[in-house]
Amino acid sequence: MKIPLLLLITCFTMISKAQNLTAVLHEVKGRIADSASRKPLDYITVGLKTDKNLPVKSALTSADGSFVFNNLKPSKYILTIVFVEYQTRTITVDLIDSTKKLKDLGPIYINTKNNNLKEVVVIADKPLIKQEVDRISYDLQADPESKSNNVLEMMRKVPLLSVDGDDNILLKGNTGYKIFINGKPSSMMERNAKDILKSMPASSIQTIEVITNPPSKYDAEGLAGIINIVTNKKVDNGYNGSVNINERFPVGGPGTGGNFTFKQGKVGISAFGGASFSSTPMTENFSNRISTGTNATTLAQVGNRESENQNGYLGTELSYEIDSLNLISAQFNVNGSRSEGANHQSSVLNGQSGILQTYNLTNMNEGTGNGLDAAFNYQLGFKKSKARLLTFSYRYFTFGNEQHTNLAITNHMNYPIPDYRQVNDGGSSERTFQFDYVHPVKKLSIETGIKAILRNNESDFQYQAFNSVTNQFESDPARTNIFDNNQSVFGAYNTYQYNLKNWGFKAGARIEKTIIDADFITTSSQVRQEYLNVIPSVSINRKFKDMSSLNFGFTQRINRPGIYQLNPFVDRSNPNFESTGNPNLHPTLNNSLQLGYSKSKKGSMNIILSYTFFNDLIMPVFVFDPVTNITRNSYDNTGRARLVTVNFNLNYPFTKTWNFSFNGRISHGRVQGLINDILVKNEGVMYGFTSSSGYRFEKGWRVNANLNVNGPNLSIQGTSNSFIFSTFSVNKDIVKDKLSFSASANNPFSKYRIKRTETFGPNFTQTDNNQSFYRSFNTSLNYSFGKLKGTIKKNKRGISNDDISNNSAQ
């Protein structure tokens, strides 16, 4: 706690020094009022900047609409008036004449906006957070820490999101969600979202949107909602972009990323990309399993591991405006990765009579992955109403992962299995066709559409044992198979949105028909499933005069199993623990109620209460076999669960140079299910909190301190320990709005973290301790460039396949 106290003392010292400066001579005041009613407006944001657009002061108007800025140096200033329901107004203020100490601007009238935008801006001038009827967005460009952090680290500060000790992203404490790039699914997020987000500089991202109550136009998949990462921004004719280079150590390595946008006349192009090289030095792990029953045993395993990873990604969007009514656009994204690792392990199995088995295992593994998706959109407008839109979209998507594992066994006793190899070549591909139509009728907007997704999941897995006679590795037919899974999803939706002055309504329904055919080609066996779902969705927003709003939402969601949960490949890289998928899984349906309250004055506050209950929940299942002394991990539709969650977010500027934010979640979960035909129950409290404070000095310097507290994660058969995560960073603008330098230290007081996971079953308990590097340092250089003049026009509708949740790729 010494460092946060030091930061606090520094902040107050800087404030005191600023207050002791010699007072200047000028003062500016005025009154803000509505141009139609002439009534004064309170809590209107008024900002004062230099003529070079550098912030000087900001204030909120009082109850009579008045504001005042004093102690101003003689100069020219720009006064900006910002409020969500009114048009922004800018006034030039000349204070060069030293004989006139007071500049009274008198009444300043502002006009209401002539549109139906229904969103609450919760931090003024350049808000961090926006609350809309069905989503919350976080502006990374308004957060100085985005210049030194990657996207995964910034997600800790986004309302409703948290990151656990294994870098898994949680949305309202849930891993069932979808991640989009610019409103569309991407192969990079389907294949290895965590690694890509770690390699993606946050400075290349505009905003992160959390769609908490997805409307019916979105596919019904994603138990918790949708995370949308926006990389590009609207620009005028011209170009702009940014480039970031960074280095992280001792865990990590060099990385780079950036974005570029160009528009000239009717043509627009945007692109983003990046690459990273990462290494993890050797860490240790320990596992202890105790079984009960007639032949009770104790298994102890001690090992170490190290790894290296490389990731790269590139995405582009192209747009061509044929005329005012016809627009075509296209997207193309590619990504790839490569990994290498080495694990060493010693294993001892003890029984009641002494040592039953021992062996040493060396595991050399490598993997490659690649993904590609491409889409084409055609949008047709109508002369009578440009808000009427008809859109046709087509998308092709594919990704694959190939894993090779070589395992050598030495110093073994009562363990006759020879050296062996595992190969798993798996992937997924899909084609999507979609039609969307939008028809506004005064304040009512009607959307309807149809969609077809044709998806194929496949896996070719082999187990090769060493034959000492032939001195070669030979395939074991009993442990080798080719798996093919075809999913066809046909959907149709209808959504209605109606906006009044203080009310916003959005409701609709979606119907989906799913057909699944699975083939085990080697064993000539099949699995077929068909199911029909009707999914309702309702969102209501009520705005109040005190700059607060109330949101209510109800929806049903589907969780369809993905290739990682379906794949019957058996991973035997640890001989005493086997893991596999389950091709017989069927979807999970959940119901979710949500009530949210937002308020903004000087600062902002968001509180969201949600209640979710599940039936036939897909959950990992651990079963211990006392005959073979193997614990097998798979998936099953065994769970019934309910989750009550409160999410809280606060942003407050103590002064114009010192701000504070807090993002928290607390949940109570209860889950039960059959494990080996025995009813197992578990319940408990889960929580996570992130607090951040930053201070801006003169000459472009800024310091930040973050503290993260993550509580235990709960599952049907276990829990994990809590941990505390801290970050301290400094940023410096070398060239204003062009070149900046950042550096950060993560967990400087602790070199390692031990993740402790406890798992239990009807006849065993197990404890796993995994060591990971905790202390790390990061440096980053960010350069922005460009010159703009008009706005890229984009299709307002397009394919967004959110019918398979992200938990399959965790």
Side-chain angles (χ1 to χ4, degrees):
M1 298 302 295
K2 293 181 180 180
I3 295 300
L5 179 60
L6 179 61
L7 176 62
L8 188 64
I9 294 172
T10 303
C11 295
F12 280 115
T13 301
M14 294 300 298
I15 295 172
S16 299
K17 289 181 179 180
Q19 291 174 341
N20 290 330
L21 294 174
T22 303
V24 292
L25 300 177
H26 290 273
E27 179 177 288
V28 175
K29 67 178 183 178
R31 300 186 310 277
I32 309 299
D34 185 283
S35 61
S37 65
R38 303 286 167 159
K39 293 182 179 181
L41 298 173
D42 58 348
Y43 297 113
I44 300 296
T45 301
V46 183
L48 192 68
K49 301 179 181 179
T50 67
D51 57 353
K52 296 182 179 180
N53 209 33
L54 297 176
V56 178
K57 293 187 177 185
S58 64
L60 295 173
T61 59
S62 58
D64 61 354
S66 63
F67 68 92
V68 60
F69 296 121
N70 49 33
N71 295 334
L72 300 174
K73 296 179 181 179
S75 182
K76 287 186 178 181
Y77 296 90
I78 299 173
L79 188 78
T80 304
I81 303 165
V82 182
F83 188 64
V84 66
E85 294 183 345
Y86 287 82
Q87 298 178 10
T88 299
R89 183 170 177 182
T90 301
I91 299 173
T92 301
V93 181
D94 190 345
L95 300 181
I96 294 179
D97 189 350
S98 60
T99 62
K100 297 180 180 180
K101 297 181 179 180
L102 175 64
K103 183 76 170 182
D104 189 353
L105 301 177
I108 302 173
Y109 299 108
I110 58 177
N111 302 318
T112 58
K113 290 182 178 179
N114 186 25
N115 57 41
N116 293 322
L117 182 63
K118 295 293 178 182
E119 67 181 24
V120 178
V121 180
V122 296
I123 294 182
D125 213 3
K126 192 169 185 183
L128 276 173
I129 299 169
K130 293 181 182 179
Q131 170 71 66
E132 302 179 55
V133 66
D134 59 356
R135 70 192 64 193
I136 292 176
S137 62
Y138 190 91
D139 188 347
L140 266 66
Q141 295 303 304
D143 191 330
E145 283 197 291
S146 66
K147 296 178 181 179
S148 61
N149 291 343
N150 59 48
V151 176
L152 186 70
E153 292 169 330
M154 292 301 297
M155 282 185 169
R156 301 179 191 273
K157 303 176 70 173
V158 178
L160 305 179
L161 298 185
S162 57
V163 181
D164 69 12
D166 291 326
D167 290 334
N168 295 315
I169 304 164
L170 305 177
L171 200 170
K172 295 191 296 186
N174 199 311
T175 57
Y177 53 81
K178 291 291 291 184
I179 301 180
F180 286 177
I181 300 292
N182 296 323
K184 305 174 183 67
S186 172
S187 59
M188 68 182 73
M189 295 302 157
E190 297 286 348
R191 192 172 61 82
N192 58 347
K194 290 190 297 186
D195 291 338
I196 291 293
L197 293 174
K198 285 181 184 179
S199 66
M200 187 177 289
S203 61
S204 66
I205 305 302
Q206 299 299 316
T207 58
I208 297 176
E209 296 179 340
V210 182
I211 306 175
T212 56
N213 198 47
S216 297
K217 71 178 181 180
Y218 290 104
D219 294 329
E221 177 61 35
L223 297 182
I226 297 169
I227 303 171
N228 183 34
I229 299 173
V230 181
T231 66
N232 55 1
K233 61 182 179 180
K234 296 179 179 179
V235 302
D236 295 340
N237 279 331
Y239 65 93
N240 73 356
S242 67
V243 177
N244 178 283
I245 56 174
N246 56 81
E247 170 68 29
R248 185 179 297 269
F249 58 92
V251 178
T256 184
N259 60 76
F260 176 79
T261 304
F262 169 83
K263 183 180 184 296
Q264 186 62 48
K266 298 181 177 182
V267 178
I269 302 172
S270 65
F272 68 98
S276 68
F277 301 86
S278 174
S279 64
T280 303
M282 186 175 293
T283 56
E284 298 178 351
N285 55 83
F286 171 76
S287 179
N288 185 67
R289 184 189 66 199
I290 301 174
S291 67
T292 59
T294 305
N295 299 313
T297 61
T298 300
L299 175 69
Q301 292 186 338
V302 178
N304 57 63
R305 62 182 61 139
E306 56 186 331
S307 63
E308 293 186 355
N309 298 273
Q310 299 92 42
N311 281 282
Y313 60 93
L314 175 66
T316 62
E317 289 194 27
L318 299 94
S319 174
Y320 178 68
E321 185 180 358
I322 301 174
D323 53 40
S324 61
L325 300 179
N326 294 271
L327 177 69
I328 59 175
S329 65
Q331 298 86 38
F332 181 76
N333 303 293
V334 293
N335 62 91
S337 66
R338 182 179 179 84
S339 63
E340 294 181 352
N343 301 340
H344 305 277
Q345 174 186 292
S346 296
S347 181
V348 178
L349 179 67
N350 286 285
Q352 296 175 349
S353 60
I355 296 177
L356 301 178
Q357 180 190 85
T358 64
Y359 63 87
N360 291 339
L361 179 72
T362 298
N363 179 340
M364 306 299 293
N365 56 81
E366 62 180 27
T368 58
N370 59 81
L372 178 149
D373 57 275
F376 173 82
N377 309 285
Y378 170 69
Q379 178 179 288
L380 174 65
F382 297 85
K383 291 183 178 180
K384 292 184 178 180
S385 174
K386 291 188 177 180
R388 287 176 59 192
L389 297 172
L390 177 65
T391 306
F392 164 74
S393 303
Y394 170 78
R395 176 176 179 262
Y396 175 76
F397 158 82
T398 182
F399 73 88
N401 286 304
E402 188 170 346
Q403 300 173 343
H404 294 262
T405 306
N406 298 319
L407 300 108
I409 300 169
T410 58
N411 300 326
H412 52 85
M413 182 187 77
N414 296 332
Y415 193 79
I417 297 178
D419 296 350
Y420 57 97
R421 294 175 177 174
Q422 293 185 148
V423 178
N424 179 28
D425 186 2
S428 180
S429 64
E430 66 185 28
R431 292 172 293 141
T432 305
F433 304 86
Q434 180 173 327
F435 286 91
D436 297 280
Y437 177 65
V438 181
H439 189 100
V441 182
K442 295 182 179 180
K443 295 183 178 182
L444 177 67
S445 178
I446 303 172
E447 297 184 43
T448 187
I450 58 175
K451 184 175 186 178
I453 306 174
L454 308 177
R455 180 180 293 116
N456 174 257
N457 299 311
E458 58 186 3
S459 174
D460 182 355
F461 52 93
Q462 300 179 36
Y463 181 95
Q464 301 172 347
F466 182 74
N467 188 326
S468 58
V469 177
T470 63
N471 202 33
Q472 292 183 346
F473 285 90
E474 299 176 354
S475 294
D476 182 350
R479 299 179 179 183
T480 300
N481 208 335
I482 298 176
F483 171 66
D484 190 65
N485 176 283
N486 293 296
Q487 292 183 5
S488 298
V489 182
F490 304 97
Y493 74 92
N494 205 194
T495 299
Y496 300 86
Q497 182 170 350
Y498 187 75
N499 292 324
L500 296 173
K501 182 178 180 181
N502 296 315
W503 288 88
F505 303 90
K506 183 180 287 187
R510 185 178 189 90
I511 184 171
E512 290 187 349
K513 172 72 172 181
T514 305
I515 303 173
I516 297 177
D517 288 295
D519 293 324
F520 299 89
I521 298 174
T522 306
T523 58
S524 300
S525 56
Q526 293 84 32
V527 175
R528 182 177 176 86
Q529 298 176 359
E530 290 189 29
Y531 42 90
L532 180 71
N533 299 101
V534 179
I535 307 297
S537 176
V538 177
S539 297
I540 302 173
N541 173 261
R542 172 68 165 95
K543 294 170 56 180
F544 301 97
K545 293 183 179 180
D546 62 347
M547 298 178 68
S548 65
S549 68
L550 196 64
N551 284 66
F552 169 78
F554 167 76
T555 186
Q556 288 184 336
R557 307 295 293 168
I558 298 174
N559 177 22
R560 292 187 183 90
I563 181 61
Y564 294 92
Q565 296 166 315
L566 295 167
N567 192 346
F569 163 70
V570 180
D571 185 355
R572 298 181 174 89
S573 55
N574 186 334
N576 291 101
F577 299 91
E578 297 180 356
S579 61
T580 183
N582 180 3
N584 296 303
L585 292 175
H586 60 264
T588 296
L589 184 69
N590 87 300
N591 296 272
S592 179
L593 290 165
Q594 179 176 295
L595 182 65
Y597 176 75
S598 301
K599 186 176 178 63
S600 63
K601 284 189 177 180
K602 182 179 179 180
S604 67
M605 177 180 66
N606 291 270
I607 301 176
I608 297 178
L609 173 65
S610 59
Y611 175 76
T612 307
F613 54 96
F614 314 81
N615 289 314
D616 294 330
L617 184 62
I618 299 174
M619 299 202 71
V621 174
F622 296 84
V623 176
F624 173 71
D625 185 350
V627 177
T628 61
N629 285 304
I630 294 176
T631 301
R632 291 182 171 87
N633 171 25
S634 186
Y635 297 90
D636 202 354
N637 291 100
T638 186
R640 290 182 55 196
R642 69 110 177 99
L643 187 67
V644 180
T645 304
V646 177
N647 288 271
F648 181 82
N649 180 268
L650 172 68
N651 283 271
Y652 189 80
F654 291 112
T655 68
K656 68 177 183 178
T657 57
W658 182 24
N659 72 288
F660 173 80
S661 67
F662 179 86
N663 190 27
R665 166 187 62 88
I666 184 167
S667 307
H668 185 272
R670 179 180 298 159
V671 60
Q672 67 179 46
L674 292 175
I675 308 296
N676 239 10
D677 297 325
I678 298 176
L679 183 64
V680 177
K681 298 181 180 180
N682 198 10
E683 65 177 296
V685 175
M686 297 168 285
Y687 57 87
F689 305 100
T690 299
S691 61
S692 176
S693 183
Y695 189 85
R696 186 177 69 249
F697 296 90
E698 296 180 353
K699 299 182 180 181
W701 286 95
R702 182 183 178 92
V703 294
N704 269 80
N706 295 331
L707 181 67
N708 305 278
V709 179
N710 270 37
N713 284 331
L714 178 71
S715 67
I716 192 172
Q717 287 182 263
T719 185
S720 62
N721 61 335
S722 58
F723 70 96
I724 297 176
F725 186 97
S726 60
T727 302
F728 303 91
S729 64
V730 59
N731 304 279
K732 175 67 170 79
D733 286 334
I734 301 173
V735 179
K736 180 65 178 177
D737 296 327
K738 291 290 184 182
L739 183 64
S740 63
F741 170 80
S742 304
S744 64
N746 300 315
N747 306 300
F749 314 111
S750 179
K751 184 176 182 179
Y752 296 105
R753 170 181 178 257
I754 302 297
K755 181 192 175 184
R756 181 183 178 90
T757 303
E758 298 178 353
T759 307
F760 63 87
N763 58 348
F764 79 99
T765 59
Q766 180 178 318
T767 302
D768 295 289
N769 291 279
N770 288 282
Q771 182 189 64
S772 62
F773 278 93
Y774 215 33
R775 181 188 299 149
S776 65
F777 303 92
N778 183 44
T779 59
S780 175
L781 195 65
N782 196 81
Y783 175 69
S784 299
F785 58 91
K787 186 177 181 180
L788 307 176
K789 297 177 182 176
T791 300
I792 285 185
K793 190 172 182 181
K794 298 175 62 180
N795 286 91
K796 298 182 179 180
R797 293 295 179 273
I799 288 175
S800 54
N801 286 355
D802 37 30
D803 72 298
I804 292 184
S805 64
N806 193 70
N807 60 2
S808 62
Q810 295 293 335

